[in-house]
Amino acid sequence: MRRIKYRDEEYLVHTRSGMRLIDALVEQGVPVTCDCDGRAHTTEQCLVQWPKDTAFLLTEPTEFERRQLGDRLEKGHRLACQALFK
Ligand code: FES
């Protein structure tokens, strides 16, 4: 179980290796939706705050996340559609 902050609410989610963070949230009933393509366009509806002390559990930010989030990555923000559990 991992604690994730999404839209100012905290959720505990079950995770599995290779799973996308967004899928873990949806599986727990968190209403995450998005109308972006995850490559060139985002409305950031899947933006989450992941605890920095457990950042090692997720894959490195993708180029898309780096471009979209910039300095927010340092604060633990991730796009849940891009981050995978290792
Ligand atoms: S699902 Fe839209 S940016 Fe992640």
Side-chain angles (χ1 to χ4, degrees):
M1 287 276 247
R2 301 291 171 196
R3 189 174 301 277
I4 299 172
K5 193 169 184 183
Y6 175 68
R7 296 194 175 183
D8 296 326
E9 298 283 335
E10 281 200 354
Y11 298 94
L12 286 174
V13 297
H14 291 280
T15 63
R16 292 187 301 278
S17 179
M19 183 180 216
R20 291 188 315 161
L21 182 47
I22 195 170
D23 295 330
L25 290 165
V26 169
E27 199 171 273
Q28 296 302 303
V30 180
V32 183
T33 58
C34 188
D35 59 359
C36 69
D37 65 8
R39 279 182 237 120
H41 158 75
T42 177
T43 52
E44 296 189 1
Q45 292 183 51
C46 73
L47 183 69
V48 300
Q49 191 160 16
W50 181 259
K52 287 178 68 174
D53 62 335
T54 55
F56 64 92
L57 295 171
L58 297 176
T59 52
E60 291 296 311
T62 63
E63 187 54 40
F64 180 64
E65 285 181 286
R66 291 184 198 285
R67 223 176 28 249
Q68 290 296 321
L69 302 180
D71 292 344
R72 290 182 290 170
L73 284 169
E74 298 304 316
K75 296 175 183 156
H77 288 103
R78 296 294 304 265
L79 294 173
C81 67
Q82 304 286 307
L84 301 176
F85 291 98
K86 290 181 182 173

